Amino acid sequence: MSQWSQYGIHGKIHDILATVSYPHHFGGRPFITAYQLAIEFAKQYPSEFGALNMPIGGAQGGQRSSLSQYLAKQLSDRIKAGTIADIEGAFLGDLHLREITFDRPNGTITSSLTGSGYPLSIFRLKDVGNNQPVDID
């Protein structure tokens, strides 16, 4: 069984994204980055975060594998494959972007992607029907 299934990560990400809202004339829900998802996942689900045994990520981490990277890849792959239908993804280009820093309870995290030529993955819950998490796989 994959860690994704074992820890019910899709449902947890769905619940996190369901709390993100901001009334705006564009309508819809705002996107958040994989870093923001990872920070909130660690905050809301500390036992699962510990069991996954991955740092949140960022330029300061010095590791190639992180929770933010794992979440971005899993979400991207599953959205592309059509096995997740309630979450949509996009990306933020880094044109003229110098740095993005995120707050977390014990300090800050700076994105390792800004200036790297790789886009920053962003995700939001789709505004659809009953909006319940559904894994098709």
PDB file of all heavy atoms in Angstrom, residues 85-113:
ATOM      1  N   ALA A  85     -10.188  14.246  -9.258  1.00  0.00           N
ATOM      2  CA  ALA A  85     -11.024  15.142 -10.050  1.00  0.00           C
ATOM      3  C   ALA A  85     -11.450  16.394  -9.282  1.00  0.00           C
ATOM      4  O   ALA A  85     -11.991  17.315  -9.877  1.00  0.00           O
ATOM      5  CB  ALA A  85     -12.261  14.391 -10.531  1.00  0.00           C
ATOM      6  N   ASP A  86     -11.229  16.427  -7.975  1.00  0.00           N
ATOM      7  CA  ASP A  86     -11.726  17.535  -7.160  1.00  0.00           C
ATOM      8  C   ASP A  86     -10.682  18.627  -6.904  1.00  0.00           C
ATOM      9  O   ASP A  86     -10.983  19.643  -6.289  1.00  0.00           O
ATOM     10  CB  ASP A  86     -12.260  17.016  -5.824  1.00  0.00           C
ATOM     11  CG  ASP A  86     -11.206  16.288  -5.012  1.00  0.00           C
ATOM     12  OD1 ASP A  86     -10.316  15.649  -5.619  1.00  0.00           O
ATOM     13  OD2 ASP A  86     -11.261  16.338  -3.767  1.00  0.00           O
ATOM     14  N   ILE A  87      -9.468  18.421  -7.377  1.00  0.00           N
ATOM     15  CA  ILE A  87      -8.381  19.383  -7.171  1.00  0.00           C
ATOM     16  C   ILE A  87      -7.812  19.742  -8.539  1.00  0.00           C
ATOM     17  O   ILE A  87      -7.672  18.875  -9.403  1.00  0.00           O
ATOM     18  CB  ILE A  87      -7.283  18.782  -6.273  1.00  0.00           C
ATOM     19  CG1 ILE A  87      -7.841  18.480  -4.872  1.00  0.00           C
ATOM     20  CG2 ILE A  87      -6.075  19.716  -6.174  1.00  0.00           C
ATOM     21  CD1 ILE A  87      -6.905  17.695  -3.976  1.00  0.00           C
ATOM     22  N   GLU A  88      -7.506  21.007  -8.727  1.00  0.00           N
ATOM     23  CA  GLU A  88      -6.860  21.407  -9.971  1.00  0.00           C
ATOM     24  C   GLU A  88      -5.499  22.010  -9.664  1.00  0.00           C
ATOM     25  O   GLU A  88      -5.269  22.545  -8.586  1.00  0.00           O
ATOM     26  CB  GLU A  88      -7.725  22.372 -10.774  1.00  0.00           C
ATOM     27  CG  GLU A  88      -8.000  23.698 -10.126  1.00  0.00           C
ATOM     28  CD  GLU A  88      -8.919  24.563 -10.976  1.00  0.00           C
ATOM     29  OE1 GLU A  88      -8.783  24.565 -12.219  1.00  0.00           O
ATOM     30  OE2 GLU A  88      -9.775  25.237 -10.392  1.00  0.00           O
ATOM     31  N   GLY A  89      -4.612  21.876 -10.620  1.00  0.00           N
ATOM     32  CA  GLY A  89      -3.262  22.379 -10.466  1.00  0.00           C
ATOM     33  C   GLY A  89      -2.922  23.372 -11.557  1.00  0.00           C
ATOM     34  O   GLY A  89      -3.536  23.398 -12.616  1.00  0.00           O
ATOM     35  N   ALA A  90      -1.934  24.174 -11.272  1.00  0.00           N
ATOM     36  CA  ALA A  90      -1.391  25.135 -12.218  1.00  0.00           C
ATOM     37  C   ALA A  90       0.034  25.401 -11.754  1.00  0.00           C
ATOM     38  O   ALA A  90       0.547  24.719 -10.853  1.00  0.00           O
ATOM     39  CB  ALA A  90      -2.227  26.406 -12.252  1.00  0.00           C
ATOM     40  N   PHE A  91       0.675  26.382 -12.360  1.00  0.00           N
ATOM     41  CA  PHE A  91       2.021  26.705 -11.905  1.00  0.00           C
ATOM     42  C   PHE A  91       2.259  28.194 -12.039  1.00  0.00           C
ATOM     43  O   PHE A  91       1.653  28.880 -12.851  1.00  0.00           O
ATOM     44  CB  PHE A  91       3.089  25.898 -12.648  1.00  0.00           C
ATOM     45  CG  PHE A  91       3.022  26.035 -14.150  1.00  0.00           C
ATOM     46  CD1 PHE A  91       3.762  27.011 -14.803  1.00  0.00           C
ATOM     47  CD2 PHE A  91       2.234  25.186 -14.907  1.00  0.00           C
ATOM     48  CE1 PHE A  91       3.718  27.136 -16.180  1.00  0.00           C
ATOM     49  CE2 PHE A  91       2.180  25.301 -16.285  1.00  0.00           C
ATOM     50  CZ  PHE A  91       2.924  26.282 -16.919  1.00  0.00           C
ATOM     51  N   LEU A  92       3.137  28.665 -11.188  1.00  0.00           N
ATOM     52  CA  LEU A  92       3.533  30.067 -11.168  1.00  0.00           C
ATOM     53  C   LEU A  92       4.929  30.151 -11.755  1.00  0.00           C
ATOM     54  O   LEU A  92       5.858  29.523 -11.247  1.00  0.00           O
ATOM     55  CB  LEU A  92       3.527  30.587  -9.719  1.00  0.00           C
ATOM     56  CG  LEU A  92       3.988  32.009  -9.475  1.00  0.00           C
ATOM     57  CD1 LEU A  92       3.014  32.987 -10.128  1.00  0.00           C
ATOM     58  CD2 LEU A  92       4.074  32.292  -7.983  1.00  0.00           C
ATOM     59  N   GLY A  93       5.074  30.894 -12.832  1.00  0.00           N
ATOM     60  CA  GLY A  93       6.392  31.062 -13.444  1.00  0.00           C
ATOM     61  C   GLY A  93       7.279  31.935 -12.572  1.00  0.00           C
ATOM     62  O   GLY A  93       6.802  32.671 -11.702  1.00  0.00           O
ATOM     63  N   ASP A  94       8.580  31.858 -12.790  1.00  0.00           N
ATOM     64  CA  ASP A  94       9.486  32.644 -11.944  1.00  0.00           C
ATOM     65  C   ASP A  94      10.099  33.852 -12.661  1.00  0.00           C
ATOM     66  O   ASP A  94      11.115  34.382 -12.233  1.00  0.00           O
ATOM     67  CB  ASP A  94      10.554  31.765 -11.312  1.00  0.00           C
ATOM     68  CG  ASP A  94      11.559  31.208 -12.300  1.00  0.00           C
ATOM     69  OD1 ASP A  94      11.360  31.376 -13.515  1.00  0.00           O
ATOM     70  OD2 ASP A  94      12.546  30.614 -11.848  1.00  0.00           O
ATOM     71  N   LEU A  95       9.440  34.314 -13.725  1.00  0.00           N
ATOM     72  CA  LEU A  95       9.899  35.502 -14.427  1.00  0.00           C
ATOM     73  C   LEU A  95       9.908  36.690 -13.467  1.00  0.00           C
ATOM     74  O   LEU A  95       8.885  37.027 -12.873  1.00  0.00           O
ATOM     75  CB  LEU A  95       8.975  35.781 -15.619  1.00  0.00           C
ATOM     76  CG  LEU A  95       9.329  36.993 -16.473  1.00  0.00           C
ATOM     77  CD1 LEU A  95      10.647  36.761 -17.205  1.00  0.00           C
ATOM     78  CD2 LEU A  95       8.213  37.260 -17.480  1.00  0.00           C
ATOM     79  N   HIS A  96      11.070  37.293 -13.309  1.00  0.00           N
ATOM     80  CA  HIS A  96      11.258  38.448 -12.424  1.00  0.00           C
ATOM     81  C   HIS A  96      10.908  38.151 -10.964  1.00  0.00           C
ATOM     82  O   HIS A  96      10.622  39.072 -10.207  1.00  0.00           O
ATOM     83  CB  HIS A  96      10.471  39.664 -12.911  1.00  0.00           C
ATOM     84  CG  HIS A  96      10.753  40.023 -14.330  1.00  0.00           C
ATOM     85  ND1 HIS A  96      12.001  40.407 -14.769  1.00  0.00           N
ATOM     86  CD2 HIS A  96       9.950  40.025 -15.411  1.00  0.00           C
ATOM     87  CE1 HIS A  96      11.950  40.641 -16.067  1.00  0.00           C
ATOM     88  NE2 HIS A  96      10.724  40.412 -16.482  1.00  0.00           N
ATOM     89  N   LEU A  97      10.919  36.907 -10.599  1.00  0.00           N
ATOM     90  CA  LEU A  97      10.619  36.509  -9.231  1.00  0.00           C
ATOM     91  C   LEU A  97      11.936  36.180  -8.541  1.00  0.00           C
ATOM     92  O   LEU A  97      12.697  35.332  -9.005  1.00  0.00           O
ATOM     93  CB  LEU A  97       9.694  35.291  -9.227  1.00  0.00           C
ATOM     94  CG  LEU A  97       9.165  34.820  -7.901  1.00  0.00           C
ATOM     95  CD1 LEU A  97       8.322  35.909  -7.236  1.00  0.00           C
ATOM     96  CD2 LEU A  97       8.312  33.572  -8.103  1.00  0.00           C
ATOM     97  N   ARG A  98      12.193  36.857  -7.477  1.00  0.00           N
ATOM     98  CA  ARG A  98      13.472  36.695  -6.788  1.00  0.00           C
ATOM     99  C   ARG A  98      13.401  35.688  -5.661  1.00  0.00           C
ATOM    100  O   ARG A  98      14.303  34.878  -5.471  1.00  0.00           O
ATOM    101  CB  ARG A  98      13.915  38.049  -6.255  1.00  0.00           C
ATOM    102  CG  ARG A  98      15.232  38.014  -5.561  1.00  0.00           C
ATOM    103  CD  ARG A  98      15.626  39.393  -5.155  1.00  0.00           C
ATOM    104  NE  ARG A  98      16.878  39.369  -4.463  1.00  0.00           N
ATOM    105  CZ  ARG A  98      17.424  40.422  -3.923  1.00  0.00           C
ATOM    106  NH1 ARG A  98      16.808  41.580  -4.010  1.00  0.00           N
ATOM    107  NH2 ARG A  98      18.565  40.339  -3.311  1.00  0.00           N
ATOM    108  N   GLU A  99      12.320  35.771  -4.877  1.00  0.00           N
ATOM    109  CA  GLU A  99      12.245  34.919  -3.693  1.00  0.00           C
ATOM    110  C   GLU A  99      10.808  34.831  -3.216  1.00  0.00           C
ATOM    111  O   GLU A  99      10.068  35.805  -3.281  1.00  0.00           O
ATOM    112  CB  GLU A  99      13.123  35.516  -2.590  1.00  0.00           C
ATOM    113  CG  GLU A  99      13.168  34.738  -1.314  1.00  0.00           C
ATOM    114  CD  GLU A  99      14.117  35.382  -0.308  1.00  0.00           C
ATOM    115  OE1 GLU A  99      15.330  35.165  -0.423  1.00  0.00           O
ATOM    116  OE2 GLU A  99      13.622  36.114   0.572  1.00  0.00           O
ATOM    117  N   ILE A 100      10.426  33.665  -2.753  1.00  0.00           N
ATOM    118  CA  ILE A 100       9.154  33.490  -2.066  1.00  0.00           C
ATOM    119  C   ILE A 100       9.474  32.819  -0.743  1.00  0.00           C
ATOM    120  O   ILE A 100      10.131  31.772  -0.703  1.00  0.00           O
ATOM    121  CB  ILE A 100       8.163  32.626  -2.866  1.00  0.00           C
ATOM    122  CG1 ILE A 100       7.755  33.336  -4.150  1.00  0.00           C
ATOM    123  CG2 ILE A 100       6.930  32.313  -2.029  1.00  0.00           C
ATOM    124  CD1 ILE A 100       6.764  32.580  -4.989  1.00  0.00           C
ATOM    125  N   THR A 101       9.001  33.431   0.326  1.00  0.00           N
ATOM    126  CA  THR A 101       9.265  32.930   1.666  1.00  0.00           C
ATOM    127  C   THR A 101       7.940  32.634   2.357  1.00  0.00           C
ATOM    128  O   THR A 101       6.987  33.398   2.247  1.00  0.00           O
ATOM    129  CB  THR A 101      10.064  33.960   2.484  1.00  0.00           C
ATOM    130  OG1 THR A 101      11.268  34.263   1.766  1.00  0.00           O
ATOM    131  CG2 THR A 101      10.436  33.424   3.848  1.00  0.00           C
ATOM    132  N   PHE A 102       7.898  31.533   3.069  1.00  0.00           N
ATOM    133  CA  PHE A 102       6.691  31.078   3.753  1.00  0.00           C
ATOM    134  C   PHE A 102       6.930  31.044   5.258  1.00  0.00           C
ATOM    135  O   PHE A 102       7.997  30.624   5.715  1.00  0.00           O
ATOM    136  CB  PHE A 102       6.302  29.676   3.272  1.00  0.00           C
ATOM    137  CG  PHE A 102       6.128  29.590   1.786  1.00  0.00           C
ATOM    138  CD1 PHE A 102       7.185  29.216   0.969  1.00  0.00           C
ATOM    139  CD2 PHE A 102       4.921  29.905   1.193  1.00  0.00           C
ATOM    140  CE1 PHE A 102       7.040  29.144  -0.409  1.00  0.00           C
ATOM    141  CE2 PHE A 102       4.761  29.841  -0.180  1.00  0.00           C
ATOM    142  CZ  PHE A 102       5.819  29.463  -0.980  1.00  0.00           C
ATOM    143  N   ASP A 103       5.920  31.449   6.012  1.00  0.00           N
ATOM    144  CA  ASP A 103       5.984  31.374   7.475  1.00  0.00           C
ATOM    145  C   ASP A 103       5.546  29.992   7.927  1.00  0.00           C
ATOM    146  O   ASP A 103       4.655  29.386   7.339  1.00  0.00           O
ATOM    147  CB  ASP A 103       5.034  32.403   8.112  1.00  0.00           C
ATOM    148  CG  ASP A 103       5.486  33.820   7.887  1.00  0.00           C
ATOM    149  OD1 ASP A 103       6.706  34.065   7.843  1.00  0.00           O
ATOM    150  OD2 ASP A 103       4.608  34.698   7.762  1.00  0.00           O
ATOM    151  N   ARG A 104       6.188  29.541   8.976  1.00  0.00           N
ATOM    152  CA  ARG A 104       5.759  28.322   9.647  1.00  0.00           C
ATOM    153  C   ARG A 104       6.014  28.514  11.130  1.00  0.00           C
ATOM    154  O   ARG A 104       6.716  29.461  11.519  1.00  0.00           O
ATOM    155  CB  ARG A 104       6.436  27.086   9.079  1.00  0.00           C
ATOM    156  CG  ARG A 104       7.921  27.047   9.298  1.00  0.00           C
ATOM    157  CD  ARG A 104       8.495  25.788   8.710  1.00  0.00           C
ATOM    158  NE  ARG A 104       9.877  25.687   9.138  1.00  0.00           N
ATOM    159  CZ  ARG A 104      10.571  24.584   9.164  1.00  0.00           C
ATOM    160  NH1 ARG A 104      10.004  23.474   8.785  1.00  0.00           N
ATOM    161  NH2 ARG A 104      11.812  24.585   9.547  1.00  0.00           N
ATOM    162  N   PRO A 105       5.481  27.653  11.981  1.00  0.00           N
ATOM    163  CA  PRO A 105       5.583  27.891  13.430  1.00  0.00           C
ATOM    164  C   PRO A 105       7.000  28.105  13.968  1.00  0.00           C
ATOM    165  O   PRO A 105       7.204  28.900  14.859  1.00  0.00           O
ATOM    166  CB  PRO A 105       4.955  26.641  14.036  1.00  0.00           C
ATOM    167  CG  PRO A 105       4.004  26.163  12.997  1.00  0.00           C
ATOM    168  CD  PRO A 105       4.655  26.502  11.675  1.00  0.00           C
ATOM    169  N   ASN A 106       7.991  27.432  13.410  1.00  0.00           N
ATOM    170  CA  ASN A 106       9.350  27.548  13.945  1.00  0.00           C
ATOM    171  C   ASN A 106      10.321  28.212  12.966  1.00  0.00           C
ATOM    172  O   ASN A 106      11.476  27.838  12.899  1.00  0.00           O
ATOM    173  CB  ASN A 106       9.867  26.181  14.392  1.00  0.00           C
ATOM    174  CG  ASN A 106       9.840  25.160  13.278  1.00  0.00           C
ATOM    175  OD1 ASN A 106       9.195  25.357  12.267  1.00  0.00           O
ATOM    176  ND2 ASN A 106      10.554  24.065  13.471  1.00  0.00           N
ATOM    177  N   GLY A 107       9.842  29.201  12.228  1.00  0.00           N
ATOM    178  CA  GLY A 107      10.739  29.921  11.327  1.00  0.00           C
ATOM    179  C   GLY A 107      10.128  30.130   9.961  1.00  0.00           C
ATOM    180  O   GLY A 107       8.911  30.087   9.795  1.00  0.00           O
ATOM    181  N   THR A 108      10.990  30.335   8.992  1.00  0.00           N
ATOM    182  CA  THR A 108      10.521  30.553   7.625  1.00  0.00           C
ATOM    183  C   THR A 108      11.163  29.537   6.680  1.00  0.00           C
ATOM    184  O   THR A 108      12.187  28.934   7.002  1.00  0.00           O
ATOM    185  CB  THR A 108      10.873  31.971   7.135  1.00  0.00           C
ATOM    186  OG1 THR A 108      12.286  32.144   7.172  1.00  0.00           O
ATOM    187  CG2 THR A 108      10.197  33.040   7.974  1.00  0.00           C
ATOM    188  N   ILE A 109      10.543  29.386   5.536  1.00  0.00           N
ATOM    189  CA  ILE A 109      11.053  28.522   4.481  1.00  0.00           C
ATOM    190  C   ILE A 109      11.094  29.358   3.216  1.00  0.00           C
ATOM    191  O   ILE A 109      10.128  30.043   2.887  1.00  0.00           O
ATOM    192  CB  ILE A 109      10.124  27.309   4.243  1.00  0.00           C
ATOM    193  CG1 ILE A 109      10.100  26.407   5.464  1.00  0.00           C
ATOM    194  CG2 ILE A 109      10.552  26.531   3.011  1.00  0.00           C
ATOM    195  CD1 ILE A 109       9.105  25.275   5.354  1.00  0.00           C
ATOM    196  N   THR A 110      12.199  29.310   2.525  1.00  0.00           N
ATOM    197  CA  THR A 110      12.330  29.993   1.242  1.00  0.00           C
ATOM    198  C   THR A 110      12.268  28.954   0.137  1.00  0.00           C
ATOM    199  O   THR A 110      12.952  27.923   0.207  1.00  0.00           O
ATOM    200  CB  THR A 110      13.659  30.767   1.166  1.00  0.00           C
ATOM    201  OG1 THR A 110      13.702  31.700   2.241  1.00  0.00           O
ATOM    202  CG2 THR A 110      13.791  31.504  -0.157  1.00  0.00           C
ATOM    203  N   SER A 111      11.455  29.204  -0.858  1.00  0.00           N
ATOM    204  CA  SER A 111      11.317  28.267  -1.966  1.00  0.00           C
ATOM    205  C   SER A 111      12.662  28.028  -2.633  1.00  0.00           C
ATOM    206  O   SER A 111      13.416  28.962  -2.896  1.00  0.00           O
ATOM    207  CB  SER A 111      10.328  28.816  -3.002  1.00  0.00           C
ATOM    208  OG  SER A 111      10.361  28.024  -4.171  1.00  0.00           O
ATOM    209  N   SER A 112      12.945  26.776  -2.912  1.00  0.00           N
ATOM    210  CA  SER A 112      14.172  26.428  -3.639  1.00  0.00           C
ATOM    211  C   SER A 112      13.957  26.526  -5.145  1.00  0.00           C
ATOM    212  O   SER A 112      14.900  26.375  -5.912  1.00  0.00           O
ATOM    213  CB  SER A 112      14.628  25.018  -3.256  1.00  0.00           C
ATOM    214  OG  SER A 112      13.645  24.069  -3.614  1.00  0.00           O
ATOM    215  N   LEU A 113      12.731  26.789  -5.574  1.00  0.00           N
ATOM    216  CA  LEU A 113      12.425  26.807  -7.002  1.00  0.00           C
ATOM    217  C   LEU A 113      12.596  28.176  -7.641  1.00  0.00           C
ATOM    218  O   LEU A 113      12.847  28.257  -8.844  1.00  0.00           O
ATOM    219  CB  LEU A 113      11.000  26.306  -7.245  1.00  0.00           C
ATOM    220  CG  LEU A 113      10.787  24.834  -6.913  1.00  0.00           C
ATOM    221  CD1 LEU A 113       9.317  24.474  -7.039  1.00  0.00           C
ATOM    222  CD2 LEU A 113      11.637  23.948  -7.796  1.00  0.00           C
TER     223      LEU A 113
END
